């Protein structure tokens, strides 16, 4: 059932092998100073840095460098980026990299002129910006998070052992995004498949709630089928343009706010995964894969009809009873996870038994799950994932 909702997505996308050609047109719309934000150096190794810098120079921009955004960007780095932006009065934040770089840019956009501590205001208290925002644009090099077309910004505070996402409104979505699938060819296999699972997880988090007949669920099933098909090709041949381009597009739609319309949504796996990340700094997609099997097996009895639909519509399961179809659906999901090669236990990510209580404390229970979990149940799921 589609009740009341609003939908707005202002991000302009440029997609395809020639997408970078449009950067100069976008740059013309902003003032002279650009903060060039990137990660640990992959864009220098691939040559993308030189290309982007040449376009910026040709457009007459003054470039302020902001390098070294780490995977799972930290609060200390956020403060540094905000200071750079403010001191240089930058007109545009240009993020070149994966979800971490884009998430960080959105955090900087809202923090540069924030008069309070942005970690406390946006991430701890989940308030919305009341200050001037700096526009963000991005060139995406790694697929998975959907950060290129949403308001998500996840920041890690290692001292507090917290990894928290703030979902900003459309005013802080990237104004434009350059999506060239070829730029993702160099992503290491481990990161690539982590990204594939992240996409699947975003879709499942939205799918597994509610029992109504909802257009969003049909959209999600189509996106899941496309991802499963293309991921099987991409793990064997990462340079298959058709597969990588379809996955890039699927990732974008999996978390650009469309498929959540009129849906309750779960997000329990992400809450647990983020807390694991706060303790271990592990790769985001792997923190999700490592707990998904235990989680979905645990909640399945509380949402059998939807899990049966998942088995039949996404995995082509043939089964007479809903119980059987639901179980076979989860088994098919697990087989696919093994096939693409994601991490299947939290021990491999550095989690030790003494961390479980703390991880559970950092993972709030989500009310729209088929079975909202107590702290004890989260610990039990973590134990089953060791
Ligand atoms: O830092 P560099 O040197 O660029 O290397 C990166 C990094 O080590 C590398 N990489 C990226 N593109 C590459 C490449 N290496 C070679 N060639 C390329 N083309 O890959 C590594 C991982 O990059 P990262 O940006 O950390 O990965 P991802 O895109 O998965 O982003 C993860 C972050 O996004 C957050 C996660 O929590 C995590 O902090 N998320 C953001 C969301 C959102 N905005 O809505 C939702 C997600 O659920 C997620 O929580
Ligand atoms: Zn995710």
């Amino acid at each position: 059932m589609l009740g009341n909702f609003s939908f707005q997505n202002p991000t302009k996308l440029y997609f395809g092998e020639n997408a970078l050609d449009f950067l100069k047109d976008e740059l013309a719309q902003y003032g002279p100073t650009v903060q060039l934000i990137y990660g640990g150096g992959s864009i220098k190794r691939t040559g993308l840095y030189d290309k982007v810098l040449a376009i910026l120079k040709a457009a007459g921009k003054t470039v302020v460098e902001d390098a070294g955004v780490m995977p799972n960007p930290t609060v200390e780095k956020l403060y540094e980026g905000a200071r750079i932006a403010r001191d240089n009065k930058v007109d545009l934040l240009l993020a070149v990299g994966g979800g971490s770089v884009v998430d960080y840019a959105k955090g900087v956009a809202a923090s540069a002129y924030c008069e309070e501590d942005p970690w406390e205001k946006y991430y701890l208290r989940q308030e919305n910006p009341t200050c001037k925002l700096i526009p963000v644009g991005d060139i995406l090099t790694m697929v998975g998070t959907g950060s290129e077309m949403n308001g998500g910004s996840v920041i890690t505070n290692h001292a507090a052992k917290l990894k928290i996402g703030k979902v900003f409104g459309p005013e802080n979505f990237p104004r434009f995004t350059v999506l060239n699938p070829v730029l993702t060819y160099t992503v290491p296999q481990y990161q690539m498949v982590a990204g594939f699972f992240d996409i699947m997880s975003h879709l499942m988090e939205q799918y597994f709630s509610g029992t109504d007949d909802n257009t969003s669920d049909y959209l999600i099933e189509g996106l899941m089928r496309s991802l499963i098909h293309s991921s099987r090709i991409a793990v064997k041949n990462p340079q298959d343009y058709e597969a990588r381009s379809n996955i890039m597009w699927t990732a974008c739609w999996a978390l650009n706010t469309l498929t959540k319309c009129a849906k309750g949504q779960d997000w329990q796996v992400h809450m647990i995964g983020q807390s694991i990340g706060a303790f271990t700094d592990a790769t985001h997609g792997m923190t999700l894969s490592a707990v998904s099997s235990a989680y979905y097996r645990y909640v399945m009895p509380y949402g059998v009809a939807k899990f049966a639909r998942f088995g039949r519509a996404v995995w082509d399961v043939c089964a007479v009873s809903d119980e059987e179809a639901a179980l076979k659906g989860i088994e098919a999901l697990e087989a696919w996870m093994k096939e693409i090669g994601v991490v299947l236990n939290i021990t491999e990510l550095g989690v030790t038994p003494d961390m479980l209580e703390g991880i559970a404390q950092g993972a709030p229970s989500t009310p729209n799950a088929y079975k909202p979990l107590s702290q004890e149940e989260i610990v039990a799921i973590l134990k089953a994932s060791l």
Side-chain angles (χ1 to χ4, degrees):
M1 184 189 76
L2 296 179
N4 302 309
F5 65 88
S6 70
F7 174 78
Q8 182 194 4
N9 195 314
T11 304
K12 183 166 185 179
L13 300 176
Y14 297 96
F15 194 97
E17 282 185 85
N18 301 327
L20 197 57
D21 294 350
F22 295 96
L23 179 60
K24 64 176 185 323
D25 302 337
E26 283 296 332
L27 292 176
Q29 298 175 36
Y30 301 94
T33 309
V34 177
Q35 186 162 334
L36 178 59
I37 298 173
Y38 55 98
S42 73
I43 68 162
K44 289 203 167 161
R45 290 193 295 280
T46 60
L48 180 60
Y49 173 86
D50 291 336
K51 282 185 197 158
V52 172
L53 207 60
I55 296 168
L56 286 164
K57 293 282 173 206
K61 302 294 180 185
T62 302
V63 177
V64 178
E65 292 257 345
D66 183 2
V69 180
M70 59 295 284
N72 311 320
T74 63
V75 66
E76 292 80 11
K77 182 66 186 163
L78 175 69
Y79 295 147
E80 182 192 312
R83 202 167 46 243
I84 294 172
R86 193 172 50 245
D87 289 352
N88 293 281
K89 298 187 177 59
V90 305
D91 300 298
L92 174 70
L93 301 166
L94 182 61
V96 187
S100 292
V101 173
V102 183
D103 274 22
Y104 164 84
K106 286 178 244 177
V108 170
S111 301
Y113 299 104
C114 181
E115 287 179 354
E116 299 162 69
D117 180 338
W119 166 256
E120 289 183 11
K121 181 178 172 72
Y122 302 133
Y123 299 89
L124 283 182
R125 298 203 302 272
Q126 293 287 307
E127 291 173 14
N128 292 322
T130 43
C131 62
K132 173 184 152 182
L133 297 171
I134 303 173
V136 173
D138 71 271
I139 301 165
L140 196 70
T141 65
M142 145 112 202
V143 161
T145 64
S147 189
E148 66 275 17
M149 203 182 184
N150 71 31
S153 169
V154 184
I155 296 294
T156 299
N157 185 327
H158 286 294
K161 288 210 171 355
L162 289 172
K163 181 175 181 184
I164 304 179
K166 166 67 184 167
V167 180
F168 289 107
E171 64 284 354
N172 199 21
F173 283 29
R175 303 285 176 94
F176 65 89
T177 288
V178 172
L179 292 170
N180 176 355
V182 176
L183 297 179
T184 68
Y185 286 176
T186 52
V187 173
Q189 185 96 0
Y190 185 90
Q191 295 292 340
M192 179 184 80
V193 298
F196 294 172
F197 192 81
D198 193 20
I199 304 167
M200 189 63 169
S201 184
H202 296 157
L203 293 167
M204 291 194 293
E205 299 271 31
Q206 295 165 91
Y207 188 73
F208 288 121
S209 75
T211 52
D212 52 341
D213 181 28
N214 191 312
T215 302
S216 298
D217 287 326
Y218 296 91
L219 291 170
I220 292 170
E221 287 161 359
L223 291 168
M224 285 177 174
R225 290 186 70 99
S226 173
L227 171 68
I228 294 159
H229 173 75
S230 296
S231 65
R232 288 182 163 139
I233 297 167
V235 288
K236 292 202 186 94
N237 179 13
Q239 303 214 351
D240 186 301
Y241 184 84
E242 190 170 52
R244 296 306 288 271
S245 60
N246 280 323
I247 294 169
M248 189 169 227
W249 195 222
T250 299
C252 201
W253 286 93
L255 199 56
N256 73 357
T257 73
L258 175 80
T259 56
K260 78 177 174 75
C261 288
K263 285 209 48 91
Q265 309 175 70
D266 179 352
W267 297 105
Q268 186 65 70
V269 168
H270 268 69
M271 292 304 101
I272 300 172
Q274 282 179 200
S275 192
I276 292 171
F279 277 71
T280 61
D281 210 25
T283 296
H284 171 66
M286 299 307 192
T287 66
L288 309 174
S289 60
V291 297
S292 283
S293 180
Y295 176 71
Y296 287 113
R297 280 180 178 269
Y298 186 75
V299 299
M300 187 262 279
Y302 302 91
V304 170
K306 193 61 168 288
F307 279 90
R309 177 175 162 173
F310 174 67
R312 292 183 176 116
V314 178
W315 300 101
D316 297 326
V317 160
C318 294
V320 180
S321 73
D322 274 4
E323 285 72 16
E324 194 192 347
L327 187 59
K328 282 191 171 176
I330 291 185
E331 286 169 358
L333 170 70
E334 291 168 345
W336 172 73
M337 288 162 72
K338 281 195 190 119
E339 186 184 338
I340 63 169
V342 290
V343 173
L344 299 172
N345 65 76
I346 56 177
T347 307
E348 203 177 319
L349 302 176
V351 175
T352 48
D354 58 299
M355 294 179 187
L356 302 189
E357 291 284 345
I359 292 172
Q361 274 167 22
S365 176
T366 53
N368 294 318
Y370 283 124
K371 170 73 176 80
L373 301 181
S374 65
Q375 285 274 293
E376 293 72 32
E377 288 172 307
I378 295 178
V379 171
I381 284 164
L382 289 165
K383 272 191 186 147
S385 307
L386 276 168

